[in-house]
Amino acid sequence: MFQLDHVAVQVADLDAAIAFYTEKLGLKLVFTKVDRAHHEAFAFLELAGGRLELLQTLDADGHAQPRPKPPIRSEERRVGKECRSRWSPYH
């Protein structure tokens, strides 16, 4: 039988993410670790049937590295505009 070990989610602020998942959603923090060799910090939280891994990228000095926003292509803007105009009650 297949069993899920964990799911990883990249976060911009590990401490804020831990606070959200533990305080607001009631998950239990299992452990945190900083892996300087791979430039990341991570935390594991207990989920029913597995674990949630929160992963934050670090720069060479060990500081949080901001995640760049992916560029939005012109066709994505067009599709988004069409969806908003078609289904929005405010168009």
Side-chain angles (χ1 to χ4, degrees), residues 7 9 13 21 30 40 50 65 83 86:
V7 173
V9 177
D13 184 335
Y21 283 102
V30 178
E40 62 188 23
Q65 185 174 1
C83 290
R86 188 173 294 159

Side-chain angles (χ1 to χ4, degrees), residues 3-70:
Q3 183 176 351
L4 181 65
D5 179 65
H6 74 281
V7 173
V9 177
Q10 187 173 15
V11 298
D13 184 335
L14 185 61
D15 293 330
I18 291 170
F20 173 77
Y21 283 102
T22 58
E23 296 170 15
K24 302 293 185 189
L25 299 182
L27 275 63
K28 180 183 172 191
L29 178 64
V30 178
F31 70 90
T32 62
K33 184 175 180 178
V34 174
D35 182 352
R36 293 196 188 279
H38 293 99
H39 304 287
E40 62 188 23
F42 55 92
F44 275 85
L45 297 107
E46 200 170 276
L47 280 174
R51 290 184 178 178
L52 173 65
E53 178 185 8
L54 303 175
L55 180 65
Q56 181 179 28
T57 304
L58 304 175
D59 63 16
D61 296 323
H63 299 104
Q65 185 174 1
R67 293 185 341 208
K69 292 185 178 183

Side-chain angles (χ1 to χ4, degrees), residues 67-80:
R67 293 185 341 208
K69 292 185 178 183
I72 297 176
R73 298 184 302 263
S74 61
E75 58 270 12
E76 291 171 338
R77 285 192 188 101
R78 180 184 52 76
V79 169

